[in-house]
Amino acid sequence: MRLTGFFRRRVQNWIRRRQGADRGPVTLRRGRIYILPTSLGVAFGLMLFAMLLGSLNYVNNLGLGLTFLLASLALVTMQACHRNLETLIAREAGTEPPFAGQDAIFHLALANPGRAARCDLEAATTATVLDPVSIPAGGEATVNLRVETRRRGWVVLDRVEIATRFPYGLFRAWAVLHPGLRCLVYPRPAENAPAPPPAPGSSGGGTTRQGDDDFAGLKDYHPGDPPRHIAWKAYARGGELLIKEFSGAAEPVPIFDLEQVPGGDLESRLSVMARWIVDAEARGETFGLRLPGLEIPPQPGLQQRRRCLAAIAEYEALEPTHA
């Protein structure tokens, strides 16, 4: 097993030096597709060799004819297996940032510009092999590559194999991509996080926003305004987005400050902040974030959640994890 692993690493390093890094869409040209017989193909070859020896020994013309017919079939199969990958186009199709401990998902799109369908295509990382997919002529399919994560920060997908055993499984053709795809991993939200400190007005841990006591009128909508204040009836009448204004007591808006987070080490404090951010967004609240050297103004919504989680994920993060 050690010897096999040694040769596998040597071959992978050779392919990496030969091809280099891949940026943008990659077309699988003939020169970067490799092919070898499978264990079934080796057994098939040994069978043909035995048939050839037996036919020559007994001067059996029918046996020789069958042997050469099966050998011709193997050659055609090898060509078909190689062509099943040729001219495929692979490109990045986005990522899904997870929390630490969950799988990072890399989307890889495979496009078939040819006039023949491509069957039984496998996409694999160093740890995962996906179920085969088939792509019709002129079609496209997206495969989801999963990589385990253990800590926050960036995880980089360095190597992807696109392979096929179609048809008959006698040969395996594969192409190697080095896309260098990156996915940001958020800190895992703490399970038993304490409640965030109250926002004391405009000083310390928060700011204020107008209350909801009495309706005071309408104003133009601006990005970042809370969706629950949109005047939907006015929008239905005139097609213009307006925001309802209210008069009354000002409400505190929390700004989650790292210096006010209880806990010992940095990772546990960032986990508490992640819990506060996730819960605040789930309740539809407006919130902000404050880190040393960075402050994100209060806003509501999913984009604010992503912005804040990305900020704490990258704060003093370690070197990227390579998969």
Side-chain angles (χ1 to χ4, degrees):
M1 294 298 293
R2 289 185 179 180
L3 189 61
T4 302
F6 172 76
F7 281 111
R8 183 182 293 111
R9 288 191 298 270
R10 291 292 298 269
V11 170
Q12 291 176 356
N13 293 336
W14 174 78
I15 293 175
R16 179 62 185 258
R17 291 194 303 269
R18 178 176 180 265
Q19 297 180 181
D22 295 313
R23 295 292 181 265
V26 178
T27 301
L28 303 186
R29 301 297 183 186
R30 181 175 302 176
R32 62 184 302 160
I33 300 175
Y34 310 91
I35 187 168
L36 284 174
T38 62
S39 57
L40 178 62
V42 172
F44 187 79
L46 293 175
M47 182 194 70
L48 290 181
F49 183 69
M51 290 176 60
L52 178 63
L53 290 182
S55 300
L56 290 174
N57 185 56
Y58 292 101
V59 195
N60 189 329
N61 293 332
L62 184 59
L64 286 172
L66 179 60
T67 301
F68 293 139
L69 177 62
L70 292 178
S72 301
L73 176 63
L75 292 176
V76 172
T77 298
M78 181 175 64
Q79 177 69 8
C81 184
H82 190 277
R83 288 182 61 85
N84 199 41
L85 289 184
E86 193 173 355
T87 70
L88 280 178
I89 300 174
R91 60 176 177 82
E92 178 186 1
T95 60
E96 294 183 18
F99 293 104
Q102 299 176 342
D103 289 344
I105 302 177
F106 297 84
H107 302 295
L108 186 69
L110 300 176
N112 175 18
R115 293 180 293 179
R118 308 302 175 92
C119 304
D120 297 341
L121 303 175
E122 301 173 355
T125 63
T126 54
T128 306
V129 179
L130 300 182
D131 293 333
V133 296
S134 297
I135 309 176
E140 182 174 302
T142 300
V143 294
N144 301 322
L145 303 167
R146 296 179 176 270
V147 175
E148 292 183 355
T149 65
R150 292 182 174 83
R151 57 179 174 86
R152 67 181 177 92
W154 288 98
V155 58
V156 181
L157 183 60
D158 279 330
R159 189 176 189 275
V160 179
E161 274 191 12
I162 308 299
T164 183
R165 291 178 172 84
F166 178 84
Y168 308 137
L170 298 179
F171 295 89
R172 181 180 185 267
W174 76 95
V176 181
L177 309 178
H178 301 100
L181 304 180
R182 292 162 57 91
C183 182
L184 186 59
V185 182
Y186 300 146
R188 179 185 299 179
E191 295 182 0
N192 298 312
S202 59
S203 62
T207 182
T208 59
R209 65 179 177 86
Q210 199 170 19
D212 296 348
D213 292 351
D214 300 310
F215 177 72
L218 299 173
K219 67 174 184 178
D220 293 335
Y221 171 81
H222 297 284
D225 289 333
R228 62 193 181 94
H229 287 176
I230 295 177
W232 294 109
K233 292 183 179 179
Y235 175 74
R237 291 194 299 268
E240 183 180 4
L241 279 178
L242 300 172
I243 294 294
K244 293 182 285 186
E245 286 190 301
F246 298 89
S247 61
E251 298 179 2
V253 176
I255 294 181
F256 304 135
D257 193 336
L258 180 61
E259 295 182 356
Q260 297 182 354
V261 180
D265 61 291
L266 175 63
E267 298 304 320
S268 62
R269 294 161 64 198
L270 292 177
S271 294
V272 171
M273 292 190 74
R275 172 55 62 191
W276 291 350
I277 293 169
V278 171
D279 291 347
E281 190 276 329
R283 293 191 296 264
E285 298 177 355
T286 298
F287 60 92
L289 182 73
R290 184 179 295 131
L291 297 172
L294 174 66
E295 182 166 345
I296 299 178
Q299 286 187 9
L302 185 60
Q303 291 298 326
Q304 177 76 346
R305 175 184 185 267
R306 293 172 177 168
R307 191 179 302 115
C308 293
L309 288 175
I312 63 175
E314 294 185 278
Y315 180 71
E316 295 186 2
L318 300 176
E319 290 296 321
T321 301
H322 292 264

